[in-house]
Amino acid sequence: MSTQQFIALPAGFRPQDFLTFHGRDKLAVAEKVTANVLEKAIVWQGHPALLTLTFGANDGKGEVEYSLAVDGGEHAVSADALIGSVQHMLGLTQAIAGFEQAYADHPLLGVMITRQAGLRVPVSMSPFEALTWAVIGQQVSLSAAISMRRKFIQLADIRHSSGFYCYPAPAQVLRLSVDTLRQAGLSQSKANTLLKVSELVLSGELPMDDWLQQQVATEVIATALAGIKGIGPWTISYTLLRGYGWLDGSLHGDAAVRRVIKTLMAVEQVSEKEAQQWLQAFSPWRALLAAHLWAWQSTQLNDA
């Protein structure tokens, strides 16, 4: 079954940020970006599904066309649930105007923020995807994390009829053993954490989707995640950012964030503690600032 709808985008929306985030794996086994189109395979209410987002499809107007093709006969798709998921992924509910107004004239950040006006944080399809991606990416380079994530998805082996592998839901992850997960390049600790998280989500002890729908306080989510072995402050902040669109997580533990801070401050080195102190001044937009720093670093590398 397939559904097809449109969402109007706010003025200044930057589709390329969204497409770049979801197109980082160039082997494209689970999601593929072609020009202005994202195809992403997911598990939707237990069924393999393909989400397609096309920017500027309606005569180039400021809209995104979205459709969901679900395998398994006439499986009903809730229009409200789907549009809510797409709006969340696009970051359309993020209050970015206050940040841009507050720091447009900042001596270190003003030029960057003005050039990147309209930047929103692309969000994962689900909080579970964000958390598992964060666990996989702990203390490794982005390229290594992308490779391990790809193998993790392939090991779960949930295929959509389009041929894409679907990002697994907790039930599919729990079918994998620690030894199988280690074939993706994961450490035993990461494998155990992924299985524990999947178990807690499936049992309802970690109701990540409910927290999103009910807009539960981030402190509640952070406390619950902190009680799981293998999950620390960076993983929590990244999950809150990519899973819930929370814009005030302190990503001082991120090496790329520290590199850009070092460049902006014109110093030889910035420790995690120093980065944490520097970012604190930008609360409640610390994670949004981190997204700007990531985008700025990418721009500078491309211009080099």
Side-chain angles (χ1 to χ4, degrees):
M1 180 177 180
S2 179
T3 61
Q4 189 173 33
Q5 298 291 336
F6 290 88
I7 294 176
L9 298 172
F13 185 85
R14 295 159 49 106
Q16 196 56 50
D17 295 332
F18 179 84
L19 294 169
T20 297
F21 172 70
H22 288 283
R24 290 183 294 183
D25 188 351
K26 303 308 178 185
L27 296 189
V29 301
E31 52 262 305
K32 181 180 180 181
V33 170
T34 307
N36 62 331
V37 179
L38 167 68
E39 297 172 284
K40 179 177 175 65
I42 60 174
V43 174
W44 180 266
Q45 298 177 0
H47 298 264
L50 183 68
L51 177 67
T52 303
L53 277 70
T54 305
F55 293 91
N58 189 11
D59 297 326
K61 295 180 180 179
E63 294 182 331
V64 60
E65 176 187 353
Y66 65 95
S67 63
L68 187 71
V70 184
D71 286 349
E74 294 300 310
H75 177 70
V77 175
S78 166
D80 289 343
L82 180 56
I83 191 172
S85 295
V86 174
Q87 289 174 329
H88 183 63
M89 285 180 71
L90 294 170
L92 298 186
T93 60
Q94 295 171 15
I96 63 171
F99 170 77
E100 293 179 357
Q101 293 167 6
Y103 297 107
D105 297 323
H106 190 279
L108 294 180
L109 304 175
V111 171
M112 176 184 71
I113 292 170
T114 299
R115 289 182 181 177
Q116 297 178 165
L119 185 148
R120 297 168 187 270
V121 178
V123 179
S124 298
M125 183 63 189
S126 70
F128 177 75
E129 179 179 349
L131 175 54
T132 49
W133 166 238
V135 171
I136 291 169
Q138 291 170 348
Q139 298 181 324
V140 296
S141 68
L142 178 60
S143 59
I146 290 171
S147 175
M148 287 189 285
R149 176 183 181 271
R150 180 194 316 125
K151 294 172 184 175
F152 165 68
I153 294 170
Q154 290 174 313
L155 286 169
D157 198 24
I158 311 300
R159 302 290 289 270
H160 183 260
S161 56
S162 61
F164 285 106
Y165 286 87
C166 301
Y167 198 94
Q172 284 88 41
V173 177
L174 282 175
R175 296 172 189 165
L176 307 175
S177 66
V178 170
D179 288 342
T180 300
L181 287 170
R182 296 204 65 184
Q183 293 175 26
L186 300 169
S187 66
Q188 183 163 334
S189 173
K190 288 184 180 182
N192 282 323
T193 300
L194 289 176
L195 291 174
K196 185 61 177 179
V197 164
S198 300
E199 176 188 329
L200 293 173
V201 171
L202 200 60
S203 70
E205 295 177 68
L206 199 67
M208 300 188 76
D209 289 339
D210 290 345
W211 287 339
L212 177 61
Q213 298 302 320
Q214 298 165 11
Q215 299 184 355
V216 169
T218 53
E219 293 82 2
V220 173
I221 302 172
T223 298
L225 294 177
I228 303 172
K229 186 177 180 181
I231 295 180
W234 180 88
T235 303
I236 293 170
S237 290
Y238 193 87
T239 300
L240 290 171
L241 175 66
R242 295 298 192 190
Y244 295 92
W246 188 50
L247 300 182
D248 195 32
S250 182
L251 289 159
H252 54 276
D254 189 276
V257 168
R258 294 199 306 275
R259 280 196 297 272
V260 183
I261 293 174
K262 179 184 71 172
T263 301
L264 290 171
M265 296 178 66
V267 296
E268 292 187 2
Q269 196 59 258
V270 173
S271 68
E272 286 194 23
K273 184 176 181 180
E274 290 168 335
Q276 183 179 22
Q277 292 171 341
W278 188 83
L279 289 167
Q280 183 59 43
F282 300 97
S283 182
W285 296 293
R286 289 174 293 174
L288 178 57
L289 173 56
H292 272 273
L293 298 179
W294 287 328
W296 186 254
Q297 176 182 247
S298 177
T299 300
Q300 299 308 299
L301 289 174
N302 290 336
D303 290 344

